[in-house]
Amino acid sequence: MKIKILFLTLFLVISCNSSSDESSNDDIYNLKQTAITNAIQKASPGVVGIHVETKKLVRDWYGRARLSEGGGDGSGFIVSKDGYVITNAHNVSSIIDPNRRGQYKLFVTFSGGSMLDARIIGYDAQTDIALLKIDGEDFPYCALGNSENLSVGEFVIALGNPFNLFAESTKEPIASFGIISASNADFGVQSNGVVLDNMIQTDAAVNPGNSGGPLVDANGDVIGMNTLRRDESSNIGYAIPINKIKNIVEELKIRGSIDRGIDFGLGFINLYTNQLMIKYVHPRVALETDLSVYDIVLSVNDTKVSNIKNFSDVIKRSDVRPGDVIKLKILRDDKVKIVNLKTR
């Protein structure tokens, strides 16, 4: 009887210690779970790597042919359970280049290293946004947030595939933590025609390969797409706001491209006096507006212009589409006039 009581007492002591250890482990686990870790856990399953494989037949100086193999890596994120993926257009530029030659294959890489073929639904080079599709259903996807009222100092996490680590080493998205250090950063029209305005600036590390990946807030919702970083800095990166992306993606899903084939019904010439002059007015425009040959264009949509490039840049930065109305300030006979012109 004494032996039974001894064993029972020993069992209860061990059980209590075990329960105490489990409770302690639970407490430690709960302490480690923060809004940031929860946000990463929520968004990570929808983050993918983007991989392009290329094969080209090239010739050396002697005309000898050889097969050149290459590729490129980037990031993206799934936005629907049926497999729509958003990424930067420059991540798939080798495929969408009209002058491309050779064979190209496009894949997305998931957490764990599995890969699926992908195809391009549409892209917009001007905003550097591309929409891809993978076949299947019930994919994990990222929740899209709202980039309208972001605050400087707000916590954010950049997720993606820098240096192809996601695909080759870690088998999961790489996360970097920071804050929004500025909003509405404007870089204007780049040399390649991409318009980088109203960008979200963050000090979360954005490295090569991060482009196309999501920038998420403390709720784990996507508020932007990581797109570029300052070359001279390791901790200043920029993301395209998600509200802008939503609008572009909806049109890409329907049309495959963005219609910017604008007809102003006007011809221009640069004057040596750094002025932009109208040299031709279509009869339709002459009937609908008060525009005339020899008018000097002072501004477009309240932005000063002095040459054709200025005019073109303003149109791009305003994202003018066919049917939109632009505001022209013109000078004629030393008098300033405001004319509203509807594009076609």
Side-chain angles (χ1 to χ4, degrees):
M1 184 68 176
K2 290 181 179 179
I3 294 176
K4 288 183 178 180
I5 294 174
L6 180 61
F7 274 116
L8 181 59
T9 303
L10 183 61
F11 174 77
L12 289 173
V13 170
I14 293 173
S15 297
C16 288
N17 286 339
S18 177
S19 297
S20 177
D21 289 341
E22 290 176 1
S23 177
S24 177
N25 288 337
D26 288 343
D27 290 341
I28 293 173
Y29 176 79
N30 290 332
L31 285 173
K32 293 196 302 182
Q33 298 303 110
T34 66
I36 301 304
T37 59
N38 291 335
I40 294 172
Q41 290 170 6
K42 175 183 175 180
S44 287
V47 182
V48 295
I50 305 295
H51 184 64
V52 177
E53 289 186 358
T54 66
K55 290 183 179 180
K56 296 181 182 179
L57 192 65
V58 297
R59 297 183 180 276
D60 60 19
W61 288 101
Y62 300 100
R64 296 174 298 193
R66 65 179 179 85
L67 189 63
S68 174
E69 298 185 6
D73 300 293
S75 305
F77 51 103
I78 305 173
V79 293
S80 66
K81 64 181 181 180
D82 57 346
Y84 281 98
V85 180
I86 295 175
T87 187
N88 280 131
H90 73 253
N91 285 335
V92 293
S93 59
S94 59
I95 297 178
I96 60 183
D97 182 357
N99 298 315
R100 68 186 177 95
R101 295 181 178 180
Q103 297 179 348
Y104 296 80
K105 292 184 178 180
L106 177 62
F107 306 94
V108 298
T109 307
F110 294 84
S111 295
S114 62
M115 301 178 76
L116 280 179
D117 292 341
R119 64 183 185 277
I120 299 173
I121 297 299
Y123 69 94
D124 180 37
Q126 181 167 305
T127 57
D128 200 11
I129 297 169
L131 180 66
L132 316 181
K133 183 70 169 63
I134 51 178
D135 291 331
E137 54 187 27
D138 293 328
F139 290 108
Y141 62 92
C142 295
L144 304 185
N146 185 355
S147 55
E148 187 65 29
N149 296 307
L150 301 177
S151 301
V152 173
E154 182 178 338
F155 290 149
V156 289
I157 306 109
L159 295 167
N161 181 33
F163 304 107
N164 205 32
L165 291 173
F166 178 1
E168 294 182 348
S169 305
T170 64
K171 306 302 183 187
E172 62 183 356
I174 309 300
S176 59
F177 170 70
I179 63 169
I180 293 176
S181 52
S183 60
N184 298 321
D186 292 339
F187 295 94
V189 182
Q190 307 299 293
S191 59
N192 59 1
V194 177
V195 178
L196 298 176
D197 280 343
N198 303 315
M199 303 286 282
I200 302 168
Q201 180 178 304
T202 176
D203 66 353
V206 176
N207 292 296
N210 260 124
S211 60
L215 184 71
V216 305
D217 62 15
N219 294 318
D221 297 333
V222 181
I223 58 168
M225 176 167 62
N226 304 311
T227 299
L228 76 155
R229 67 186 179 95
R230 294 190 73 93
D231 290 337
E232 67 273 21
S233 173
S234 61
N235 63 345
I236 299 181
Y238 297 92
I240 302 171
I242 195 62
N243 288 11
K244 180 178 182 178
I245 294 171
K246 289 176 185 177
N247 294 332
I248 295 295
V249 164
E250 283 304 310
E251 194 166 345
L252 292 179
K253 189 180 292 187
I254 296 170
R255 301 171 54 92
S257 61
I258 305 299
D259 183 10
R260 294 195 178 90
I262 306 166
D263 178 13
F264 296 101
L266 299 173
F268 302 99
I269 187 171
N270 294 330
L271 300 181
Y272 72 91
T273 53
N274 282 333
Q275 290 178 308
L276 179 64
M277 188 182 76
I278 297 175
K279 69 173 183 177
Y280 166 78
V281 179
H282 190 279
R284 167 183 59 82
V285 175
L287 288 173
E288 295 175 353
T289 71
D290 187 29
L291 293 173
S292 176
V293 174
Y294 306 129
D295 285 345
I296 302 297
V297 181
L298 301 177
S299 70
V300 181
N301 290 344
D302 297 321
T303 300
K304 182 180 177 180
V305 297
S306 59
N307 54 52
I308 294 173
K309 184 181 185 307
N310 290 162
F311 184 94
S312 176
D313 286 353
V314 173
I315 296 303
K316 284 186 176 182
R317 297 182 74 173
S318 302
D319 199 13
V320 177
R321 310 284 188 87
D324 288 350
V325 175
I326 61 173
K327 176 183 174 184
L328 300 178
K329 181 187 287 186
I330 64 167
L331 178 67
R332 181 192 304 161
D333 299 330
D334 296 326
K335 294 181 180 180
V336 174
K337 293 186 176 184
I338 301 297
V339 178
N340 292 319
L341 172 66
K342 186 175 182 179
T343 63
R344 293 197 177 181

